[in-house]
Amino acid sequence: MYQAFLIKYAEIGLKGNNRSYFEDCLVKQIRYGLKSAGDGYQVRKEPGRIFVECPEGYDYDDTVEAISRVFGVAEYCPVDICKSTEWDDILEACRSYVERNIKDKNVTFKVFCKRGDKNYPKESPEICAAVGEHLLRCFPEMKVDVHDPQIKFNVEVRGRLYIYTDSYAGPGGMPVGCNGKAMLLLSGGIDSPVAGYMIAKRGVYIDATYFHAPPYTSERALQKVIDLARIISRYTGPIHLNVVNFTEIQMAIYDRCPHDELTILMRRYMMRIAEKIGLQYDCLALVTGESIGQVASQTMHSLNATNNVCTLPVYRPLIAFDKEDIVQISKKIGTYETSIQPYEDCCTIYVAKHPVTKPLVKAMEKSERILADDIDEMIERAITTRQVIRIMPE
Ligand code: ATP
Ligand code: MG
């Protein structure tokens, strides 16, 4: 059983003077993520590295699962720790590591050494050579290959001794929280949860808004969105899910405006409302799951018409993705099975047979003038009567 994990990061290492800020964000997110695996973990920052020390009897799989969901983790390595850096203890710790962890000793290896402790009486090349010799003596089947070793035997001396040979890929990206907050328009479909995941991967906190239209959309459709929010919160951290009752606005559009414009008009009001709610949470952008050409409401003209009502930037991380690529990501992050449950969302109820595919902003504005008398009140009502559900990762 390994006592700790060494966490390696990639982009954060390029941050110059701000590096410490990003490292602290990452440490915070790792601590937070590990809550799902239990208590007693210690997360420590050392120059260029982060160590997670595990409590007695910790669950290896749960720990790995938690770490591998933290954005900003480029690689993680299970490590052995030896408290003593007495030379004989180091040699014995290396031998014991190989004996316990390398089942087939018929392998090639190379020793790598880092000295965090520059006062240590031996220098790195000397440590590498001596550890290599010792391992060859203890395990005659092992062979050294300095060019292409099967096993990279890493030894780090930093007040204590750390030994590791295996390295696994983390999710990459930047730690959530290092990069402001955005409001995700979260529906029950495949795309928007993936879009939220991708933006959070760049270090952005996510809150979400869902528009439902009871009684035309069911409680189960809402529950599906709550479930999706909970799944992505494993990566993004807690989410305020704002559930907005859109029925009144949707009915008004349906009763008074041209039916082929319904979807675009609805989208424009969704964007306006999401922006107003987002500003209450200090969000710096909106996020949607749109992708060029996927449906009539996502042609270049349609996107232009919906975009036109917002002042906040609208980020669409899936804009150039094919559906199949989006499906792949949704399967990887675990939202796919929930997304394909067949509960209608509010757009599917009123879809026109022949929706406009080239809506012009001027035409949309004209149609919206029909609603001018009372739309502001309806928007206000939708915002003030919304329900806010605090979504916590399980
Ligand atoms: P998704 O799979 O994310 O539902 P979609 O392919 O069904 O997307 P649309 O229904 O056109 O596409 O929606 C485009 C985007 O608008 C969604 O990705 C989402 O960001 C937002 N959106 C659509 N419907 C809703 C809703 N009911 N509540 C919140 N956001 C929505
Ligand atoms: Mg949808």
Side-chain angles (χ1 to χ4, degrees):
M1 197 67 159
Y2 300 95
Q3 295 104 317
F5 288 84
L6 162 63
I7 308 293
K8 296 182 178 175
Y9 44 76
E11 268 177 72
I12 293 178
L14 310 172
K15 292 294 175 197
N17 290 339
N18 292 329
R19 177 157 144 181
S20 184
Y21 166 75
F22 289 95
E23 286 173 340
D24 290 345
C25 284
L26 182 55
V27 166
K28 193 170 149 209
Q29 289 307 113
I30 295 171
R31 280 193 186 124
Y32 183 80
L34 282 167
K35 285 191 179 155
S36 70
D39 296 325
Y41 290 89
Q42 298 225 357
V43 185
R44 278 186 309 104
K45 200 168 99 166
E46 293 212 7
R49 285 184 160 14
I50 291 169
F51 285 100
V52 173
E53 282 182 37
C54 305
E56 275 301 296
Y58 75 100
D59 187 302
Y60 181 87
D61 292 336
D62 289 353
T63 307
V64 162
E65 202 182 312
I67 292 174
S68 57
R69 281 198 300 252
V70 179
F71 293 136
V73 174
E75 281 176 55
Y76 58 91
C77 315
V79 301
D80 250 16
I81 299 178
C82 174
K83 295 219 164 77
S84 156
T85 52
E86 292 295 323
W87 183 240
D88 286 345
D89 293 335
I90 289 186
L91 292 179
E92 169 50 21
C94 292
R95 187 204 63 77
S96 156
Y97 181 99
V98 172
E99 186 173 87
R100 282 175 293 119
N101 298 308
I102 301 177
K103 297 274 169 304
D104 179 6
K105 309 286 190 288
N106 203 350
V107 286
T108 59
F109 75 104
K110 177 178 177 179
V111 181
F112 296 82
C113 179
K114 267 204 166 61
R115 270 188 330 157
D117 174 4
K118 296 296 174 208
N119 296 323
Y120 194 75
K122 288 188 195 306
E123 294 197 357
S124 296
E126 196 183 345
I127 298 176
C128 286
V131 167
E133 265 173 42
H134 187 66
L135 293 182
L136 288 172
R137 238 190 335 267
C138 297
F139 305 101
E141 312 95 292
M142 288 175 76
K143 290 188 183 54
V144 171
D145 180 346
V146 290
H147 302 296
D148 188 20
Q150 287 166 302
I151 300 225
K152 293 181 176 164
F153 195 89
N154 290 279
V155 176
E156 298 201 5
V157 187
R158 307 171 168 268
R160 306 194 285 176
L161 172 77
Y162 299 89
I163 306 171
Y164 64 96
T165 49
D166 297 325
S167 178
Y168 303 95
M174 303 284 287
V176 170
C178 71
N179 226 338
K181 198 191 285 181
M183 176 56 74
L184 169 68
L185 282 87
L186 180 63
S187 69
I190 293 174
D191 306 324
S192 46
V194 172
Y197 167 92
M198 288 179 69
I199 289 292
K201 190 170 175 213
R202 295 308 302 163
V204 179
Y205 264 129
I206 295 288
D207 280 322
T209 301
Y210 168 60
F211 296 90
H212 75 152
Y216 306 101
T217 58
S218 63
E219 278 301 307
R220 303 193 65 177
L222 168 60
Q223 186 57 47
K224 179 179 163 184
V225 174
I226 295 173
D227 293 344
L228 286 170
R230 191 161 290 132
I231 298 171
I232 59 169
S233 74
R234 290 186 202 147
Y235 307 92
T236 67
I239 295 174
H240 293 100
L241 175 63
N242 293 261
V243 180
V244 174
N245 186 324
F246 202 54
T247 314
E248 189 182 28
I249 295 175
Q250 192 167 313
M251 293 303 280
I253 303 173
Y254 188 72
D255 289 343
R256 302 186 224 163
C257 301
H259 281 193
D260 59 350
E261 293 173 2
L262 281 180
T263 312
I264 299 295
L265 293 174
M266 270 169 33
R267 295 313 272 264
R268 284 164 57 96
Y269 287 111
M270 283 185 187
M271 298 299 259
R272 290 180 173 107
I273 292 172
E275 178 172 84
K276 281 183 194 282
I277 298 175
L279 289 171
Q280 293 183 12
Y281 288 99
D282 296 326
C283 291
L284 299 170
L286 299 180
V287 179
T288 76
E290 290 159 312
S291 153
I292 295 175
Q294 201 186 75
V295 285
S297 58
Q298 297 175 32
T299 62
M300 288 286 281
H301 289 78
S302 301
L303 290 166
N304 182 51
T306 25
N307 203 68
N308 205 265
V309 299
C310 301
T311 49
L312 283 180
V314 182
Y315 296 140
R316 302 176 172 89
L318 308 178
I319 198 68
F321 278 48
D322 292 350
K323 190 76 184 187
E324 191 44 41
D325 301 331
I326 303 170
V327 164
Q328 286 310 323
I329 303 176
S330 76
K331 286 183 177 165
K332 188 183 84 182
I333 67 176
T335 51
Y336 181 73
E337 291 302 327
T338 306
S339 289
I340 59 171
Q341 288 170 9
Y343 307 120
E344 72 295 340
D345 70 28
C346 68
C347 293
T348 50
I349 299 243
Y350 294 104
V351 227
K353 278 209 186 69
H354 301 289
V356 282
T357 53
K358 292 188 178 171
L360 297 174
V361 173
K362 285 253 172 310
M364 297 302 111
E365 286 169 353
K366 186 171 163 218
S367 298
E368 285 174 358
R369 277 200 286 279
I370 306 171
L371 304 169
D373 279 349
D374 49 0
I375 189 68
D376 289 345
E377 286 154 40
M378 287 190 264
I379 290 177
E380 225 16 69
R381 223 172 357 255
I383 292 173
T384 49
T385 60
R386 76 187 192 273
Q387 187 194 354
V388 183
I389 303 173
R390 182 92 169 128
I391 305 285
M392 300 295 288
E394 272 159 1

